[in-house]
């Protein structure tokens, strides 16, 4: 059954106990099923408090991670593996079952050349170890391709699909983000169909990071494909508002957003639900 979520970045630019409580409260108040928590590299989060707050507001949680610069996987494979496995431990401690994100690259880390065979071999070896570790803890790993301006390693659904096929571990799957798809894919239907059951998780984001349905993302093609593959994973909003302190610098929002955080979240959730109703059968 599809669940609707919001990234913590819908509300806050970084996690603190006070910020986290606010993000949980707002996510629940706006009618979402879950909150995606972006893990800091320190993994210094109050497990007991977060569990209590999520339970009090009837929310589930998923977790994401982006490698910091000094953990860029091809250069620092051991450090990257250790951080990812520690993050899996954290997810398990939280009672979660999903960790996704850019688990192979630091944002903006480039060599000045396309990826090479040696780098892919390192990626394959580390992610195979990650997959085995996650499988033993019944946690799904979602590998997210991002756009060419942020990485050179995995920028398309096809590249991730091919990589996880080579590794052949059931814990590894594809995570898509419609913002990055709008830059890197030729369309929104075929990548979803190609992924099929390997598609585990989706970031729902408009082409300009604004309100869903008001940009260039081909939403009907996208939802038609999701219905075709009988997608039943999570749809998680990852649009940003400059009204959130610190968000402009964090996500390069150099123009004021049209919407505040709550309006953006409520309107986007309504849009997602309307597309599900239009493209999925009622008994999905």
């Amino acid at each position: 059954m599809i669940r609707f979520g919001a990234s913590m970045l819908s509300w806050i630019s970084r996690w603190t106990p006070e910020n986290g409580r606010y993000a949980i409260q707002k996510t629940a108040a706006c009618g979402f099923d879950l909150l995606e928590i972006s893990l800091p590299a320190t993994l210094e989060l109050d497990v007991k408090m977060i569990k209590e707050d999520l339970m009090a507001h009837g929310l589930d949680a998923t977790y994401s991670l982006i490698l910091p610069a000094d953990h860029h996987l091809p250069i620092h494979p051991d450090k990257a593996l250790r951080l990812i496995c520690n993050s899996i431990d954290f997810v398990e401690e939280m009672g979660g079952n999903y960790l996704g994100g850019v688990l192979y690259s630091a944002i903006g880390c480039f060599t000045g050349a396309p990826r090479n065979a040696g780098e892919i071999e390192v990626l394959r070896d580390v992610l195979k170890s990650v997959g085995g570790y996650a499988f033993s803890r019944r946690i799904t790993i979602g590998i997210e391709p991002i756009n060419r301006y942020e990485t050179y390693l995995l920028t398309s659904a096809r590249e991730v699909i091919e990589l996880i096929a080579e590794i052949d571990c059931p814990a590894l799957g594809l995570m898509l983000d419609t913002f990055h798809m709008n830059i890197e894919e030729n369309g929104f239907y075929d990548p979803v169909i190609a992924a099929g059951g390997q598609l585990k998780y989706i970031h729902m984001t408009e082409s300009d990071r604004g309100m869903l349905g008001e940009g260039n993302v081909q939403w009907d093609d996208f939802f038609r494909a999701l219905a075709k593959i009988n997608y039943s994973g999570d749809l998680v909003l990852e649009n940003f508002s400059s009204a959130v302190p610190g968000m402009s610098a964090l996500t390069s929002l150099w123009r004021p957003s049209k919407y505040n955080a709550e309006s953006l979240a409520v309107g986007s959730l309504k849009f997602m639900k309307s597309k599900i109703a239009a493209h999925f059968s009622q008994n999905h």
Side-chain angles (χ1 to χ4, degrees), residues 103-155:
L103 304 176
Y104 53 88
S105 175
I107 300 295
C109 185
F110 296 96
T111 64
R115 66 183 196 176
N116 59 51
E119 289 174 317
I120 295 303
E121 183 177 357
V122 173
L123 254 67
R124 188 186 303 113
D125 290 345
V126 171
L127 292 176
K128 183 175 182 178
S129 296
V130 166
Y133 192 76
F135 182 75
S136 70
R137 282 149 179 78
R138 300 181 181 179
I139 291 171
T140 296
I141 299 295
I143 302 171
E144 178 187 12
I146 59 175
N147 71 76
R148 69 189 68 189
Y149 306 109
E150 296 182 349
T151 191
Y152 63 102
L153 290 168
L154 295 170
T155 60

Side-chain angles (χ1 to χ4, degrees), residues 8-14 240-248 260-261:
M8 74 176 212
L9 299 177
S10 296
W11 316 109
I12 59 175
S13 58
R14 67 185 185 92
F240 310 131
S241 172
S242 62
V244 175
M247 195 58 66
S248 292
N260 64 28

Side-chain angles (χ1 to χ4, degrees), residues 139-257:
I139 291 171
T140 296
I141 299 295
I143 302 171
E144 178 187 12
I146 59 175
N147 71 76
R148 69 189 68 189
Y149 306 109
E150 296 182 349
T151 191
Y152 63 102
L153 290 168
L154 295 170
T155 60
S156 71
R158 177 184 57 79
E159 289 175 338
V160 175
I161 291 168
E162 290 175 351
L163 183 63
I164 61 179
E166 293 174 4
I167 296 171
D168 191 25
C169 175
L172 298 181
L174 170 66
M175 171 181 172
L176 285 178
D177 183 312
T178 53
F179 175 81
H180 301 296
M181 290 181 72
N182 186 63
I183 297 172
E184 296 296 344
E185 306 290 352
N186 291 328
F188 289 83
Y189 183 84
D190 290 343
V192 172
I193 298 299
Q198 291 175 315
L199 179 57
K200 304 300 184 182
Y201 193 89
I202 301 170
H203 273 167
M204 304 293 289
T205 313
E206 192 47 270
S207 58
D208 63 350
R209 296 290 196 186
M211 184 71 75
L212 299 190
E214 295 186 358
N216 296 325
V217 173
Q218 299 163 21
W219 291 112
D220 286 318
D221 285 350
F222 188 66
F223 277 93
R224 185 164 54 89
L226 293 181
K228 181 73 172 178
I229 68 168
N230 199 33
Y231 180 74
S232 59
D234 299 329
L235 300 178
V236 178
L237 182 67
E238 200 194 37
N239 285 357
F240 310 131
S241 172
S242 62
V244 175
M247 195 58 66
S248 292
L250 182 66
T251 61
S252 300
L253 293 177
W254 307 129
R255 300 187 303 274
S257 300

